[in-house]
Amino acid sequence: MNAVRVVLMKELRDLFRDRRTVMIALLMGPILVPALLIGMGVLASKKQVTQMEKTLELPVVGAEHAPNLVAWLASQNIEIRPAPDDPEQAIREQDQDVILRIPATFGEHWRGSEPAPVEILHDASRQDSQIPVRRVEGLLEQYGRTVGSLRLLARGISPGVTSPLQVTRQDLSTPEARRGMVLSMMLPYLLILMAFLGGAYLVIDVTAGERERQSLEPLLATPAARGAIMSGKIAAASLFGMLSLMLTLLGLKIGFQFVPAGGLQLDVSLLTIGKLLLILAPMVLIGSTLLTLIAASVKSVKEAQSYMSVLMMLPIVPALILMVNPVKTQLWMFTVPFLAQNQMITRIVRLEPASALEWLVYLAAGLGLSALLWLAAARLYHQEKLAISA
């Protein structure tokens, strides 16, 4: 243990001598991540409120076929606009978000008390058009229900006979979960990425870098066990990664104090920060040991860094899988790297508790994988060719 401590202090001392690198590593994350998350959340919230409350410009094709409907829409914070010459092209070229088309047969069906056709033109692949489309659909449904009720009353029939069921919905999600939808998608990926690669620079430098500088061989020639030397290097990278994560979470805590009331919020109490650090600690160890294994098996720093582009994609894989194929949380998920962290962080963001069994499985799986990677890296550290520079 004394050798591990000596190597740990040596590596940290050497790292903090490079002040520029330390400042970038310890300040860029704590500043950029909170700014990115809070900025995106507040922007999305403001845009949604603005689109729901502002006057909606609605081009209408065939407005003359349904003057009463058009007049009613105009009274509902809708500004009726003349239709473009080519409505389909206007939607495809994103000149318009939504266009209402009323066919010439509308009046005939209307007078015959038949369902009168109307058509909403939009591009479902565009996120910014979803709110305007929902507004138009909601207003058309409201108008249809109102007219339908009046028709029944004119015939002496209670409108209630057409509604044998009264269906209501009770939303059991917490306010924090609803406001944290953006955070639940972005925050896990960013935190997992920072934990996984937080000590990347130090890990690569203290193995592949020292081998290139021919300073690793004298260190391995000391009486200290090679496993202890490697453990000290991993411990230094892990401590540095945890420090960066803690500063990032504190940055989020400070940043959310400036979010306008009613906007995007996140519970960033000291207890929550402690839980997030506990969740991410196994990922820091996994990242440090995996990068040590890679750095010990390659011939140069450049080759080790070439693996970074691939490793950066790993944390986003669970988010993509869950986006395409959402599944209910099951116990086995807490044994899968990256997916387990994603599930745990999402629960923290949504203020949902995790059971003692889930915590136990999660920590056991994470620490167990770290141990396996440590053993694999230790085997490489015991090979004599490790000390030979490329």
Side-chain angles (χ1 to χ4, degrees), residues 282-310:
M283 181 52 60
V284 173
L285 288 173
I286 291 172
S288 298
T289 51
L290 177 60
L291 286 167
T292 299
L293 177 62
I294 293 173
S297 61
V298 299
K299 298 179 179 180
S300 64
V301 172
K302 181 179 292 186
E303 186 179 353
Q305 291 175 340
S306 66
Y307 286 89
M308 297 292 289
S309 58
V310 178

Side-chain angles (χ1 to χ4, degrees), residues 39-93:
M40 288 182 59
V42 172
L43 181 63
S45 179
K46 286 184 176 180
K47 184 174 182 180
Q48 183 174 5
V49 171
T50 300
Q51 285 188 324
M52 291 298 293
E53 295 180 353
K54 75 173 184 178
T55 300
L56 175 63
E57 297 181 357
L58 178 63
V60 180
V61 180
E64 66 278 5
H65 302 314
N68 291 333
L69 171 60
V70 172
W72 184 84
L73 289 173
S75 67
Q76 303 297 316
N77 203 22
I78 301 291
E79 181 180 347
I80 304 299
R81 288 293 192 91
D85 296 332
D86 190 343
E88 287 84 359
Q89 189 66 20
I91 293 292
R92 295 192 188 98
E93 294 181 353

Side-chain angles (χ1 to χ4, degrees), residues 129-370:
S129 68
Q130 292 183 3
I131 294 178
V133 170
R134 287 201 298 267
R135 285 183 64 181
V136 174
E137 285 179 335
L139 290 173
L140 291 176
E141 291 176 1
Q142 180 182 346
Y143 183 77
R145 289 194 300 269
T146 301
V147 173
S149 298
L150 292 175
R151 286 177 176 176
L152 291 174
L153 288 173
R155 291 166 172 78
I157 303 174
S158 171
V161 300
T162 63
S163 302
L165 296 178
Q166 184 178 2
V167 181
T168 60
R169 293 192 299 177
Q170 183 179 3
D171 188 357
L172 299 180
S173 63
T174 62
E176 291 79 5
R178 291 191 294 271
R179 290 197 298 262
M181 290 183 64
V182 175
L183 288 176
S184 65
M185 293 185 291
M186 291 294 298
L187 185 62
Y189 170 70
L190 292 175
L191 290 181
I192 294 170
L193 180 63
M194 290 187 64
F196 186 50
L197 300 178
Y201 166 80
L202 181 57
V203 169
I204 293 174
D205 183 70
V206 299
T207 300
E210 285 194 356
R211 184 165 55 181
E212 283 190 357
R213 295 190 297 269
Q214 298 183 355
S215 60
L216 183 60
E217 184 175 2
L219 181 61
L220 296 178
T222 62
R226 293 195 175 191
I229 294 174
M230 184 195 71
S231 298
K233 295 176 180 292
I234 292 175
S238 299
L239 285 177
F240 187 76
M242 292 298 292
L243 177 60
S244 178
L245 280 172
M246 185 176 66
L247 292 176
T248 300
L249 293 172
L250 291 176
L252 284 172
K253 180 178 180 64
I254 296 172
F256 275 108
Q257 294 179 359
F258 298 96
V259 176
L264 190 67
Q265 294 291 331
L266 174 68
D267 176 23
V268 282
S269 63
L270 293 179
L271 178 59
T272 298
I273 291 176
K275 289 181 180 179
L276 289 173
L277 289 175
L278 179 60
I279 290 171
L280 293 168
M283 181 52 60
V284 173
L285 288 173
I286 291 172
S288 298
T289 51
L290 177 60
L291 286 167
T292 299
L293 177 62
I294 293 173
S297 61
V298 299
K299 298 179 179 180
S300 64
V301 172
K302 181 179 292 186
E303 186 179 353
Q305 291 175 340
S306 66
Y307 286 89
M308 297 292 289
S309 58
V310 178
L311 296 178
M312 290 179 65
M313 295 298 297
L314 294 179
I316 202 174
V317 172
L320 293 177
I321 294 176
L322 294 176
M323 185 182 303
V324 176
N325 184 31
V327 294
K328 293 182 178 180
T329 302
Q330 301 178 37
L331 188 61
W332 65 265
M333 294 181 179
F334 296 95
T335 65
V336 182
F338 306 112
L339 177 60
Q341 283 76 25
N342 191 296
Q343 294 292 324
M344 293 293 283
I345 295 174
T346 300
R347 287 197 170 190
I348 295 297
V349 172
R350 295 171 58 89
L351 294 182
E352 297 175 353
S355 67
L357 179 60
E358 290 171 341
W359 275 104
L360 179 62
V361 171
Y362 170 77
L363 294 174
L367 296 177
L369 178 58
S370 300

